Amino acid sequence: MIFKLVSDGRPYPEHGLSHREWAQIPPRQVRLDTLITTKTVLDLHSLLAKDSTFYGDLFPHVVQWRGELYLEDGLHRALRSALHQRSILHARVLELPED
């Protein structure tokens, strides 16, 4: 098992963070098997592209809400880590209040 759950959509409230605001969150280690994806489809070109991180953040974006970790952005990076036999990923984690 790579991820805790594969889900389609974001169950947590909209956070409205910009790319610049995400960049202010320091990356930390996250186990792949604790992540719930928010996308069920991945473009194979994105996964296999050599420059897939050239235009975006080097670190995936994870939202922590109600005790769960949701992989909001960076699914191809997470899968690439899994393909390299890694169980841990460095990601930016935004902690949302629990209502």
Side-chain angles (χ1 to χ4, degrees):
M1 174 168 62
I2 297 173
F3 300 113
K4 179 176 182 176
L5 183 67
V6 175
S7 181
D8 190 19
R10 302 172 183 169
Y12 50 86
E14 180 62 41
H15 52 71
L17 255 63
S18 68
H19 291 291
R20 175 167 279 164
E21 291 168 318
W22 271 107
Q24 300 304 311
I25 300 172
R28 71 179 207 206
Q29 290 184 344
V30 177
R31 290 185 50 87
L32 290 174
D33 62 2
T34 64
L35 294 173
I36 299 172
T37 69
T38 59
K39 298 175 186 170
T40 58
V41 177
L42 174 73
D43 178 16
L44 193 56
H45 289 290
S46 295
L47 178 64
L48 300 176
K50 290 180 182 178
D51 64 349
S52 65
T53 59
F54 182 76
Y55 295 105
D57 194 341
L58 291 176
F59 301 100
H61 297 171
V62 173
V63 175
Q64 183 174 350
W65 186 64
R66 294 187 175 170
E68 300 289 356
L69 295 172
Y70 296 92
L71 180 61
E72 181 174 285
D73 183 50
L75 179 59
H76 62 288
R77 291 176 187 89
L79 281 175
R80 200 180 272 176
S81 290
L83 290 171
H84 284 97
Q85 306 292 316
R86 297 184 194 121
S87 61
I88 294 176
L89 178 72
H90 285 85
R92 300 184 193 279
V93 180
L94 171 65
E95 297 179 17
L96 290 181
E98 296 192 22
D99 301 335

